Amino acid sequence: MSADPAPTSPAVHRTVQEVTERLVERSARTRAAYLRRVAAAAEEAYERGPARAGLGCANLAHGFAACSPGDKLVLRGAERPGVAIVTSYNDMLSAHQPFETYPPVLKDAVREAGGVAQVAGGVPAMCDGVTQGRAGMELSLYSREVIAMSTAIALSHDMFDASLLLGVCDKIVPGLLIGALHFGHLPAIFVPAGPMPSGLPNKVKARARQSFAEGKIGRGEMLDAEAKSYHSPGTCTFYGTANSNQVLMEVMGLHLPGATFVNPGTELRDGLTRAAARRAVEITAHGEEYTPVAHVVDEKALVNAAVALLATGGSTNHTMHLVAIAAAAGVELLWDDLAALSRVVPLLTRMYPNGQADVNHFHAAGGMQALIGDLLDNGLLHQDVLTVAGRGLGLYRSGAELKEGQVVWEERPSVSADLDVLRPAAEPFSADGGIHMVSGNLGRAVSKVSAVKPEHLVIEAPAKVFDDQAELMAAFQEGALDGQDFVAVIRYQGPSANGMPELHKLTPPLAVLLDRGQRVALVTDGRMSGASGKVPAAIHLSPEAADGGPIALVRDGDLVRLDSAAGTLDVLVPAEELAARTPQGRPLRDDEWVGTGRELFAAFRRAAAPADRGAGIFAISGAEGAGTPLPAGGALRTGAGHPAGDVLVAGDATATGDVLVAGGAPPAAGNAAASGAGGVPGRREARA
């Protein structure tokens, strides 16, 4: 692959540019400190050669003891790069089951390219589809942090010069990327498995779920429908968090072009897997196209990811995951940034739950290449970014094909083959993004509007307050919710209360009531699945009830008004009366929060940041080096908190460039990566 020689995209949209500039300014200290750390590691790697060359003899012998004789001979030397495979394989999770066969394929391809690959470690991969509505779901969001730490453990052996990351779903991809960013000097390529072929139509599946909730069909018939939907290896085909992950990885330049939605078990899928392995060798510090992941994931790439999320009506979970990923790269992304982008980014896709098509239909309609090309043509994406394929997002206009057994890339037209699934920016499904931010006297929340009918975007109705989703389910079964308009308020579901479980089990009963003509909505400090959307909802409410948020003051019968169109959320109670109230309900105590391993995560509950700050437990990368105080109780718990002023990294860093070299001169003004095909900006210049 080669760099895109001359960007042809029009000027970047004014709002996209302004958001990016604010992001750069806000993050100047932490980003520069993070890049300074990365640059020091990169310079060491360049001087030393393969990472294992720095190991003692006993250390290295441990590192290759189990290898084949040929690989052992390579690893004894100090010429060829080592590549880490970090895998989330398990055979319970359909999306990750295909990874069982990947390591031998990747090792073979890396060997052919002149390196040697080893499985450096595994990360946990739980399935939210299995744990929905159960105690295990209270570990789901925390698993992102465990995956990040597991990735760091895998890479901590100092045996590797690049990494191949095998992950698809929910918290797994964000966790892998957060971990990889803490080894930001290493190139990292995500190697996807692809979606399973289409099964039971989504409309039929949704109708079956509502019928089951109403008691019209039994468990056997419901299980038959679900089994026809989720029926083979591969990612579930609806456009939830898993497939949103895949869209974002490609738009951020962490997949090879066109790799996202190729089905498992196909020749093209195998060819792309091998191509990723070869590319990982090419972009190490010892080649001509050094592409450390810290420089791929910069402010422009993060804005591109946010634009793609909004343009596709993707999972609301990414309003937290993107914030946490950005923090790992030393960047402070805020919900305000997403809100500003949402006002100008049009909704271009209809995939379930935002429509009846699935990701296979989207791929057939033109998929990622048509989407990226159209967004570039309308100035809604930054073209001038570094990717694992080279310099320039224009490379991702090209789709992958097999010719004579080899993967080749050919540019695809930015035209949809099915306007019911994918539309151009000039003819969108909606003029703004599918995710809105709402705020008012209850705090700030996220509202996914892409699947909500216009007549349901505004509701004012009495509150029905619950402290657990099971209470609402029981009220539905008893008929206590029939024949009335209401806003269901479910609290003590935030990250510091119980791990912020998804409340997707509530979608079928609330959808039943909506279809009966009742006006209903949901307000919660918990999450909804990436597959939710039909029911109007304000989710991820911050501050959460367990942290003293106003949601704990709401009483049954209080009028609550949610206007997702205007971006407001309020309980219509006089301010003096609301201030005089004391919180009702409480989160579970440690001695109550036990079973299914939950007691092991008590420390996570106490450290978790609010949803609008990523719901994580890690500091913003570079905060220590930038002299920025770390907020108590979680790295992201407080507001911006960054001292004013410019970044000062004497002689070896600049706040404006993408990539820095310890001890070297700043890169040329304008674009730090202007030279070379995706190489480290300034590296060779600084050494000259």
Side-chain angles (χ1 to χ4, degrees), residues 18 22 35 61 65 70 74 85 92 139 172 199 257 282 347 356 363 419 432 439-440 449 465 495 503 520 563 580 589:
E18 288 174 349
R22 287 197 297 269
L35 289 178
V74 171
I85 301 169
M92 181 209 71
L139 304 184
I172 301 151
E282 293 171 357
L347 180 65
Q356 297 309 313
H363 185 63
L419 293 178
D432 64 3
S439 61
V449 301
V465 182
L503 307 177
V520 300
D563 187 337
R589 300 187 304 267

Side-chain angles (χ1 to χ4, degrees), residues 5 128 134 229 233 279 286 359 384:
D128 290 359
R134 306 190 61 79
S229 299
R279 187 62 181 166
H286 318 297
V359 296
D384 183 24

Side-chain angles (χ1 to χ4, degrees), residues 485-507:
D485 297 343
F486 65 92
V487 174
V489 177
I490 304 182
R491 58 198 182 186
Y492 298 106
Q493 304 299 306
S496 65
N498 64 348
M500 205 179 187
E502 288 184 347
L503 307 177
H504 183 47
K505 285 286 186 181
L506 300 180
T507 297

